[in-house]
């Protein structure tokens, strides 16, 4: 049993009401379970495959889910990078290994299942790319049409390719993501289309399973959870999920929730450092990490609570630091991620340099999307292949040069 509750004024709404923000005060909603009525049998969880649906007692979906087998992503020990940074317990949760290549699939398996459960026949989102790729894929699986709005010229190639190939109606807006989100929200409300951005509280329910999987994989709670922050949904989701495990008595501490933004797009970092009650939107966000090129994060209110309540922090990293970490992960650890994903680990390098990290901490960085999402940014950083005539002596000389 659950209902929707406003995180600000505590107004509640029945589970089957289609509502994205509190109609009384306009703030965010969250799925609120009657946790004392939910019995969790951990050994039963462990008999199910590591995946989003292992944790179905703590998910809102009652019907057969629309699933492409999301979750169950690897947790890698970053041995070489950790040695360089002096952090022996540094890990990366590689969310690029999901069906569409990003963590968004965890949200979409739940969100699109809920769309069907609520009787909705069309879905939509605004996106910096990954949300649109994921929604297109899950809408295709569900057999319903999807509309996606993208900021023109600012979405990585692989993500557009996915949205197009999976058959979404793809519209490029001459404006940034924040404007596209306002527009799609309005469209959904006026036309009865189901909105699947992270303002939708059901999306975050799926994404919270990142935290559950990490607790299972580490057989305990890490000291710190580090996430790249754009719209601030994912950091909020992981915190909510772990908080539920604590209320249920399944864990007894929470990790320090740590958010990393690109320095050209860092309203959450500013709010944390200046101890502001709410974020001041960044009007013209800019970064090579286009996935997190967001100036007005809709989930800021939840994210600030997550960071402050756990003694976490937020930091920003330059585009150069992001790209350097993208190359380091690729070459030192064999982990291929897109720029936004490298931001989480780049943020840890920054915090270590600033002396803000205890070297004994067990740290999990979420790397959110796959390298192939943004091939253009990869190619721009690497020397092109050396082309030769098909001759063995030319091959040998090319190898020795
Ligand atoms: N990393 C990647 C690869 C992303 O695509 C996003 C968000 C984030 C991190 C940040 O997550 O928004 O929950 O704080 N991408 C969204 C999109 C905005 O449209 O694909 P967040």
């Amino acid at each position: 049993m659950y209902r929707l509750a406003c995180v600000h004024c505590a107004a509640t709404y029945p589970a089957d009401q289609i509502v994205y923000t509190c109609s009384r005060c306009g703030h965010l909603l969250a799925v609120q379970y009657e946790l004392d009525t939910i019995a969790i049998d951990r050994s039963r969880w462990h008999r199910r495959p590591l995946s989003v649906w292992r944790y179905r007692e703590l998910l809102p979906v009652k019907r057969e889910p629309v699933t492409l087998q999301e979750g169950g992503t690897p947790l890698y020990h970053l041995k070489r990078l950790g040695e360089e940074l002096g952090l022996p317990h540094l890990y990366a949760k590689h969310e690029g290994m999901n069906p569409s290549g990003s963590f968004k699939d965890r949200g979409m398996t739940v969100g699109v299942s809920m769309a069907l459960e609520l009787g909705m026949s069309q879905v939509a989102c605004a996106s910096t790319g990954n949300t649109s790729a994921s929604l297109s894929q899950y809408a295709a699986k569900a057999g319903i049409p999807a509309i996606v709005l993208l900021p023109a010229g600012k979405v990585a190639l692989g993500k557009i390719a996915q949205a197009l190939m999976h058959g979404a109606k793809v519209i490029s807006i001459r404006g940034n993501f924040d404007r596209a989100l306002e527009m799609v929200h309005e469209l959904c409300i006026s036309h009865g289309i189901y909105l699947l951005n992270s303002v939708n509280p059901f999306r975050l329910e799926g994404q919270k399973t990142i935290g559950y999987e990490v607790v299972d994989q580490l057989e305990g709670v890490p000291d710190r959870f580090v996430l790249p922050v754009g719209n601030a949904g994912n950091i909020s989701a992981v915190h909510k999920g772990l908080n539920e495990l604590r209320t249920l008595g399944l864990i007894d501490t929470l990790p320090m929730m740590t958010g990393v933004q690109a320095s050209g797009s860092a309203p959450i970092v500013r709010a944390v450092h200046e101890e502001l009650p709410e974020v001041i939107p960044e009007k013209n966000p800019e970064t090579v990490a286009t996935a997190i090129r967001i100036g007005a994060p809709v989930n800021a209110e939840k994210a600030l609570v997550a960071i402050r309540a756990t003694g976490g922090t937020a930091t920003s990293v330059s585009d150069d630091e992001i790209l350097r970490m993208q190359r380091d992960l690729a070459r030192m650890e064999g982990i291929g991620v897109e720029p936004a994903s490298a931001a989480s680990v780049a943020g840890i390098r920054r915090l270590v340099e600033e002396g803000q990290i205890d070297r004994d901490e067990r740290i999990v960085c979420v790397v959110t999307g796959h390298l192939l999402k943004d091939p253009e940014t990869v190619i721009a950083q690497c020397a092109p292949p050396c082309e030769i005539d098909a001759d063995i002596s030319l091959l040998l000389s090319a190898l020795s040069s």
Side-chain angles (χ1 to χ4, degrees):
M1 282 287 288
Y2 66 89
R3 55 194 183 168
L4 299 173
C6 174
V7 299
H8 188 73
C9 76
T12 61
Y13 301 85
D16 58 356
Q17 186 172 338
I18 293 168
V19 55
Y20 307 105
T21 49
C22 181
S23 36
R24 206 200 288 169
C25 73
H27 284 252
L28 298 166
L29 302 177
V31 177
Q32 192 178 68
Y33 301 92
E34 287 174 23
L35 288 174
D36 48 2
T37 67
I38 298 178
I40 306 282
D41 175 355
R42 256 195 160 161
S43 62
R44 187 144 144 234
W45 274 2
H46 291 152
R47 285 196 296 276
R48 298 176 186 156
L50 187 73
S51 70
V52 168
W53 296 102
R54 169 183 276 195
Y55 311 99
R56 70 176 80 121
E57 290 84 355
L58 292 179
L59 294 173
V61 179
K62 295 187 203 87
R63 56 162 281 135
E64 189 60 30
V66 178
T67 174
L68 292 162
Q69 297 182 22
E70 45 292 312
T73 54
L75 181 71
Y76 297 122
H77 182 210
L78 303 184
K79 202 160 173 293
R80 295 179 65 203
L81 205 49
E83 260 163 37
E84 188 203 289
L85 298 176
L87 298 173
H89 313 293
L90 182 64
Y91 296 84
K93 176 80 168 152
H94 194 352
E95 288 294 297
M97 303 296 273
N98 274 296
S100 82
S102 85
F103 69 94
K104 305 289 179 177
D105 298 342
R106 295 180 184 271
M108 288 305 173
T109 183
V110 172
V112 172
S113 299
M114 286 307 297
L116 299 188
E117 194 164 307
L118 295 166
M120 303 301 277
S121 55
Q122 217 178 342
V123 288
C125 71
S127 181
T128 57
N130 282 320
T131 299
S132 69
S134 183
L135 179 62
S136 309
Q137 210 161 323
Y138 283 83
K141 179 75 180 171
I144 56 174
I147 299 168
V148 307
L149 271 58
L150 307 176
K154 292 292 181 180
V155 176
L157 193 63
K159 305 173 188 180
I160 299 184
Q162 289 177 292
L164 292 172
M165 181 53 104
H166 289 293
K169 177 90 182 157
V170 181
I171 314 269
S172 280
I173 305 289
R174 292 187 202 103
N176 63 22
F177 167 83
D178 303 302
R179 181 68 190 122
L181 182 56
E182 280 170 9
M183 287 175 66
V184 78
H185 201 153
E186 197 178 315
L187 174 79
C188 286
I189 302 282
S190 59
H191 285 72
I193 300 168
Y194 198 56
L195 178 63
L196 275 168
N197 278 100
S198 58
V199 65
N200 181 316
F202 297 121
R203 270 256 328 261
L204 300 189
E205 291 304 293
Q207 289 172 209
K208 75 185 181 184
T209 60
I210 296 176
Y212 296 169
E213 288 188 8
V214 165
V215 169
D216 278 347
Q217 287 170 309
L218 282 180
E219 297 180 4
V221 183
D223 299 299
R224 191 181 291 276
F225 228 108
V226 191
L227 295 103
V229 172
N231 230 357
N234 214 26
I235 191 167
S236 310
V238 170
H239 175 246
K240 177 183 190 280
L242 294 175
N243 216 3
E244 286 167 355
L245 287 196
R246 190 173 60 166
T247 306
L248 286 162
L250 296 172
I251 58 174
D252 47 24
T253 57
L254 291 182
M256 292 176 274
M257 299 303 298
T258 302
V260 185
Q261 296 195 290
S263 39
S265 178
I268 299 262
V269 178
R270 185 173 167 200
V272 169
H273 288 192
E274 297 179 16
E275 296 180 12
L276 306 176
E278 53 193 50
V279 297
I280 301 167
E282 166 65 58
K283 280 206 180 62
N284 295 304
E286 208 44 85
T287 167
V288 70
T290 51
I292 52 172
R293 183 176 169 273
I294 294 176
V298 287
N299 290 293
E301 186 177 8
K302 291 180 179 177
L304 289 178
V305 169
I307 291 167
R308 288 172 175 156
T310 59
T313 189
T315 192
S316 60
V317 284
S318 68
D319 283 357
D320 283 349
E321 288 172 274
I322 289 173
L323 294 178
R324 178 181 164 207
M325 185 53 78
Q326 185 187 25
R327 295 190 299 273
D328 286 348
L329 283 165
R331 292 170 187 188
M332 294 171 73
E333 299 289 349
I335 298 175
V337 300
E338 65 168 291
S341 313
S344 58
V345 197
I348 280 298
R349 177 181 266 150
R350 167 62 77 97
L351 291 172
V352 166
E353 284 165 5
E354 290 171 0
Q356 293 197 52
I357 299 281
D358 178 344
R359 301 209 178 262
D360 288 332
E361 282 180 17
R362 197 152 63 146
I363 302 169
V364 173
C365 297
V366 182
V367 294
T368 42
H370 200 278
L371 173 101
L372 293 172
K373 290 282 191 173
D374 188 354
E376 288 165 307
T377 305
V378 173
I379 296 291
Q381 292 178 71
C382 301
C386 156
E387 187 175 320
I388 55 166
D389 287 333
D391 176 279
I392 199 77
S393 62
L394 288 174
L395 172 62
L396 292 174
S397 64
L399 291 175
S400 61
S401 69

